[in-house]
């Protein structure tokens, strides 16, 4: 069972106080001793059962650091991997023993440390439900219909900018069945900069559909197949703004894959959500080739997360997702 634990080794009182101020409610700090890391089994439990492990490397022998890194690499492939965060410089002997360049360092003496903010962001996503409309898709099996959705916009502000393109792939039985791209007409031409960034031209938009037709298309997607998006903050904001402009409310069932990925892979999405794909060596289901590059990545990521949830947590349908937050989760050894 993965608990909301943050383990600490060798931190000062001020550093511990900083963590307590920034950690989400529900996370607990536990101090561990150097002696506990002499046992390989203890190290394996530490790097797979916690969410974060803050370590002062000066408290570690080079051999202990090696075992921690090795256990962490193993956990990345087979179970949830904690975020390993080191609070102080590595010793010369440690740098000769381990590739410390691949390890994450955090400065707990300042409140604006980027690494700390990124870590808090990930664990916050992992404890918050990442879906809407669960009652409408509770019986949906993971191999039933899902709609992978990508969009292009004229900017990043849903109050000022607009959606100019929706790309949708229907995934059934873990395969891509169909794909479609919808271009949305605009009241005024988009800039050359947006054309260059998106590859979408004003001529393409002139032959597109209206906002109302785009909303109607989404509303007529076969129910209860949910929509899968990368993140809720960006995508849902624009979808809600699109519906609002048509005097409707966006209430289609949807799941943000970033929240589930945070549970499934922990630290692996520490820098970029898609950084975890090259590290996943085992694939349960054969992937369908997709020409759309972003949807291809979203599809691969979705299957990787679904496979992980099935194997490790017994999540077999959309209705089981709430077990990841409110029930006991048994973690495979």
């Amino acid at each position: 069972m993965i608990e909301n634990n943050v383990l600490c080794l060798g931190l000062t009182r001020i550093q511990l106080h900083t963590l307590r101020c920034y950690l989400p409610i529900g996370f607990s700090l536990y101090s561990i001793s150097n002696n506990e890391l002499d046992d390989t089994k203890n190290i394996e439990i530490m790097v797979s059962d916690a969410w974060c492990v803050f370590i002062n490397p000066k408290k570690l022998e080079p051999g202990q650091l090696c075992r921690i890194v090795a256990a962490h690499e193993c956990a990345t492939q087979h179970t949830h991997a904690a975020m390993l965060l080191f609070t102080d410089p590595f010793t010369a002997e440690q740098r000769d023993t381990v590739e410390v360049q691949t390890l994450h360092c955090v400065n707990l003496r300042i409140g604006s440390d980027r690494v700390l903010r990124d870590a808090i962001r990930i664990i916050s996503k992992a404890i918050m439900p990442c879906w809407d409309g669960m009652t409408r898709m509770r019986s949906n099996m993971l191999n039933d219909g899902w709609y992978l959705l990508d969009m292009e916009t004229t900017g990043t502000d849903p109050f000022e900018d607009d959606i100019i393109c929706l790309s949708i792939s229907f995934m059934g039985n873990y395969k891509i069945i169909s794909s479609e791209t919808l271009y949305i007409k605009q009241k005024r031409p988009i800039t050359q900069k947006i054309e260059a960034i998106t590859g979408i031209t004003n001529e393409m938009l002139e032959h597109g559909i209206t906002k109302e037709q785009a909303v109607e298309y989404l509303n007529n997607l076969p129910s209860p197949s949910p929509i899968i998006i990368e993140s809720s903050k960006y995508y849902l904001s624009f979808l809600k703004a699109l519906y609002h402009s048509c005097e409707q409310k966006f209430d289609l069932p949807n799941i943000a894959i970033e929240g589930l990925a945070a549970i499934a892979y922990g630290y692996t999405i520490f820098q970029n959500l898609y950084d975890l794909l090259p590290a996943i060596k085992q694939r349960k289901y054969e992937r369908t080739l997709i020409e759309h590059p972003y949807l291809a990545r979203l599809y691969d990521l979705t299957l990787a997360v679904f496979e992980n949830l099935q194997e490790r947590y017994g999540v077999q349908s959309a209705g089981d997702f709430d077990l990841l937050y409110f029930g006991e989760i048994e973690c495979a050894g």
Side-chain angles (χ1 to χ4, degrees):
M1 175 180 177
I2 298 176
E3 300 181 4
N4 296 342
N5 295 339
V6 176
L7 306 183
C8 304
L9 171 65
L11 272 59
T12 67
R13 185 176 300 178
I14 293 178
Q15 289 174 327
L16 290 172
H17 177 71
T18 300
L19 284 181
R20 290 191 179 96
C21 292
Y22 281 91
L23 285 173
I25 296 175
F27 277 79
S28 303
L29 288 176
Y30 292 93
S31 294
I32 55 178
S33 67
N34 185 279
N35 293 334
E36 295 179 72
L37 302 183
D38 289 334
D39 187 287
T40 302
K41 186 63 177 179
N42 284 345
I43 292 177
E44 293 174 351
I45 293 174
M46 178 189 72
V47 299
S48 61
D49 282 6
W51 274 105
C52 281
V53 183
F54 291 86
I55 300 175
N56 180 349
K58 296 178 181 178
K59 300 293 182 178
L60 298 175
E61 298 294 333
Q64 289 176 319
L65 180 59
C66 286
R67 289 194 293 273
I68 290 174
V69 172
H72 197 252
E73 291 176 351
C74 180
T76 302
Q77 294 295 325
H78 302 292
T79 185
H80 174 278
M83 284 180 278
L84 289 183
L85 303 174
F86 295 88
T87 62
D88 289 83
F90 294 93
T91 66
E93 190 175 2
Q94 288 171 339
R95 289 195 296 269
D96 292 337
T97 307
V98 177
E99 290 287 340
V100 298
Q101 294 83 358
T102 62
L103 304 179
H104 298 294
C105 296
V106 61
N107 187 349
L108 293 181
R109 296 177 178 83
I110 58 175
S112 59
D113 184 78
R114 180 187 60 81
V115 177
L116 177 60
R117 292 201 309 271
D118 288 346
I120 298 302
R121 173 180 56 82
I122 290 174
I123 63 176
S124 296
K125 288 177 181 177
I127 64 173
M128 295 295 294
C130 56
W131 58 73
D132 283 318
M134 175 57 68
T135 55
R136 295 170 56 188
M137 60 178 170
R138 181 166 293 277
S139 62
N140 183 275
M141 300 299 291
L142 296 189
N143 61 325
D144 287 346
W146 300 80
Y147 289 95
L148 309 178
L149 184 143
D150 181 33
M151 66 176 62
E152 296 290 352
T153 64
T154 56
T156 58
D157 187 345
F159 296 103
E160 299 291 338
D161 302 306
D162 295 302
I163 299 174
I164 59 176
C165 174
L166 292 173
S167 297
I168 303 172
S169 287
F170 178 67
M171 180 182 78
N173 197 27
Y174 309 110
K175 300 182 183 298
I176 297 299
I177 308 300
S178 62
S179 296
E180 189 168 2
T181 298
L182 308 175
Y183 297 106
I184 302 176
K185 295 179 180 179
Q186 301 297 301
K187 293 181 178 180
R188 56 184 181 274
I190 62 175
T191 64
Q192 291 183 344
K193 179 180 179 181
I194 297 301
E195 284 186 325
I197 292 175
T198 63
I200 298 172
T201 65
N202 282 295
E203 183 179 2
M204 297 163 67
L205 297 178
E206 288 176 3
H207 296 86
I209 62 177
T210 64
K211 289 183 178 181
E212 290 75 15
Q213 289 173 323
V215 168
E216 182 180 3
Y217 175 89
L218 292 174
N219 287 339
N220 289 329
L221 292 175
S223 181
S225 297
I227 292 174
I228 294 180
I229 53 178
E230 176 186 328
S231 63
S232 57
K233 182 178 180 180
Y234 174 77
Y235 288 86
L236 287 186
S237 297
F238 272 97
L239 288 171
K240 290 178 180 178
L242 172 65
Y243 271 65
H244 181 73
S245 68
C246 298
E247 299 183 347
Q248 295 192 44
K249 179 181 178 181
F250 178 79
D251 62 354
L252 300 181
N254 61 85
I255 288 180
I257 203 67
E258 64 173 356
L260 295 179
I263 293 174
Y265 296 104
Y267 95 102
T268 325
I269 61 170
F270 190 60
Q271 293 179 317
N272 186 295
L273 184 62
Y274 294 101
D275 285 347
L276 66 88
L277 289 177
I280 302 173
K281 294 181 172 56
Q282 296 181 345
R283 292 289 197 272
K284 183 177 181 181
Y285 303 109
E286 183 179 354
R287 269 53 171 168
T288 305
L289 295 178
I290 312 178
E291 292 184 2
H292 193 292
Y294 178 83
L295 286 180
R297 292 194 307 167
L298 181 60
Y299 168 58
D300 194 12
L301 177 65
T302 298
L303 285 193
V305 172
F306 279 10
E307 291 165 1
N308 184 294
L309 296 179
Q310 289 173 341
E311 293 294 324
R312 291 176 46 222
Y313 302 120
V315 174
Q316 301 300 327
S317 70
D320 293 335
F321 286 166
D322 55 1
L323 299 177
L324 301 177
Y325 302 92
F326 305 116
E328 292 190 356
I329 308 171
E330 292 300 326
C331 185

